[in-house]
Amino acid sequence: MSTAPDIAALCERCGVAPRYSSFWGEDKPVGEATLRRALAAMGVSQDHAPPARDDEWPRVRVAAEHTTHSIRWRGATSTGMWHLRPVDAEKSAQPRKGELHSSGEVRSIELPADLERGYWQLDAGSGEQCLVIVAPQRCWTPPALQAGERWWGLTIQLYALRSSHDWGIGDFGDLRRLVEIASRQGASFIGLSPLHALFPHRPEVASPYSPSSRNALNPIYIDVQLLLDQGGCRDAAVHVNSDAFQERLHALRETELVDYAGVAAAKEQVLLMLWRHFEAKELGRHTARAAQFEAFAQAREQTLGRHALFEALQAHFFARDAGVWGWPAWPAEYRDIDADCVKAFAREHASEVRFRLWLQWVAELQLEGVQRYARSRGMGLGLYCDLAVGSNEGGAETWVQPGLYALGMHVGAPPDPLNALGQDWGLPPVNPVALHDARFAPWIETVRANMRHAGALRLDHVMSLMRLFWIADGDGTYVSYPLDEMLGILALESHRHECMVIGEDLGNVAPRMREAMAAHALLSYRPLLFE
């Protein structure tokens, strides 16, 4: 008869550190209350513990490209054959099969070395399935850089990129004009802070490092004038060209600091007019542009579609009560994305939801256009984008997948020379147990969303691939993450998108992390101030 695992065994199984080494090399024991709280946030207890990883059938495995790979586990199977089929692999990939080997209780599968790059589903014949990620060993790097060329570029805050054309904030139109100027001078990239979606109901809460979703864009950067020029909406054009609105724009341009609330209100008013025109004249007549939007909506239904639903719900509840800061403050029945009331809201407010999705389509088209223009101008990378380490606990990302996050804990950092008291970033950490159980689908989606229109991607706090410091009530500890799997996905998607990867490796960085970065061609981010 088995006994429930004790706290130490649970911590070891789930990667929760009962002690850690400080920046100065001190041994820091962690209190039992903090350990229990971290485990509870993972959904783990002595009565509900995940199986020991070493013995179970693996749910996910990374196989290096052009090498044989062995999978071993303990357990019974009902067949002597294994089957492997491509899920999202190269187009030439064909299903494979082979013989399963047994030695006592140990079962093993030898995967062939010539598997095409991509994602495969492995079936051992008795219900067990494993996602096999066939990945390059190293992330993509432009051949010219590998050959020794040195490239330079500009790094900017898009909101501060002001011009005579803007509406009080830099936008994708201004970014395109900067690409034209920089490319003439021989620049190879434009570096940007995160462009992640924030909170439209409170645009002044403007930190891109505490976003509503890292998988969606911030519509405040849409070049509305470009849409006016393209859209053929006479009512919107008359409104924007009126003396009153032009005076409003002039006032927004003249402010020393960005008037986020004023900019967002002006843009949303006109964007709503443009959406209603698109809804009536394009969608209503089934035009080519309508077909493009419908294809986008269908492809992104489970990702940006759900983000749009969140934004419509948040706007709805905020209009009733300005104290509704995010989904934890919604009526309880609406906090479950699969609830009947949420489905009813989506039906009854379909236009509002699709407006939010249309904004994502427009923003992505404009960003894609800037990247395409940058490459056509000879820029080696084009846009050098930025991925925040986490998302806000009241935003779309955590509402759509609350079980993916260790709600109740925050990400931060222990004390170091720059922050003697340590740091609490206020972001709920991803639950590594849930991430593994989801076969890394959320990580794949986030990487794709941020590489889709970038030539390089900076990972804020790259240590999150290996470990994060979880904090509750001022006390914390490190929690391990599945480094091999996350790096394998990063390398695979890097090659698919031809997107170089840079890791922000400041602070208390473990030697293993820097070794893994070097082995996988993750470039290091080292500001001169800290060197």
Side-chain angles (χ1 to χ4, degrees), residues 113-174:
D114 60 346
L115 285 177
E116 289 87 344
R117 180 184 294 176
Y119 302 94
W120 297 74
Q121 181 168 293
L122 174 64
D123 189 337
S126 57
E128 302 105 330
Q129 293 180 340
C130 172
L131 178 68
V132 176
I133 304 162
V134 181
Q137 178 63 32
R138 296 169 65 80
C139 292
W140 180 82
T141 305
L145 287 183
Q146 293 186 51
E149 285 191 20
R150 299 187 70 183
W151 291 353
W152 67 273
L154 309 174
T155 57
I156 65 164
Q157 311 287 350
L158 185 52
Y159 57 79
L161 187 62
R162 309 296 291 274
S163 74
S164 60
H165 305 272
D166 70 47
W167 285 26
I169 192 170
D171 59 33
F172 293 135
D174 296 312

Side-chain angles (χ1 to χ4, degrees), residues 174-194:
D174 296 312
L175 183 58
R176 182 186 174 96
R177 287 183 277 274
L178 180 63
V179 163
E180 182 177 359
I181 294 167
S183 63
R184 285 204 302 265
Q185 306 304 317
S188 295
F189 63 85
I190 304 293
L192 299 160
S193 295

Side-chain angles (χ1 to χ4, degrees), residues 57 68-73 77-86 94-102 107-115 120-130 132 134:
W57 165 257
T68 58
H69 187 80
S70 178
I71 296 178
R72 290 181 171 81
W73 75 102
T77 59
S78 60
T79 180
M81 299 294 292
W82 55 262
H83 298 268
L84 193 65
R85 66 176 180 86
Q94 297 296 319
R96 305 289 189 93
K97 62 182 179 180
E99 187 178 353
L100 185 146
H101 302 285
S102 300
R107 309 289 183 262
S108 66
I109 291 173
E110 301 297 324
L111 298 179
D114 60 346
L115 285 177
W120 297 74
Q121 181 168 293
L122 174 64
D123 189 337
S126 57
E128 302 105 330
Q129 293 180 340
C130 172
V132 176
V134 181

Side-chain angles (χ1 to χ4, degrees), residues 350-423:
S351 180
E352 293 99 309
V353 174
R354 282 172 68 81
F355 167 59
R356 303 289 177 178
L357 183 57
W358 177 79
L359 291 178
Q360 290 299 315
W361 180 59
V362 170
E364 189 163 318
L365 283 178
Q366 292 194 355
L367 182 63
E368 178 189 20
V370 175
Q371 173 65 355
R372 188 170 58 249
Y373 182 64
R375 299 304 291 267
S376 75
R377 297 279 303 181
M379 299 184 82
L381 295 174
L383 300 182
Y384 165 17
C385 295
D386 197 347
L387 174 62
V389 70
S391 56
N392 190 287
E393 59 194 343
E397 208 173 318
T398 53
W399 177 67
V400 170
Q401 300 181 93
L404 182 63
Y405 292 86
L407 300 176
M409 304 292 291
H410 285 171
V411 178
D416 61 29
L418 295 177
N419 295 275
L421 299 178
Q423 301 174 59

Side-chain angles (χ1 to χ4, degrees), residues 185-205:
Q185 306 304 317
S188 295
F189 63 85
I190 304 293
L192 299 160
S193 295
L195 303 174
H196 306 324
L198 302 182
F199 293 88
H201 69 286
R202 292 188 63 197
E204 70 279 3
V205 181

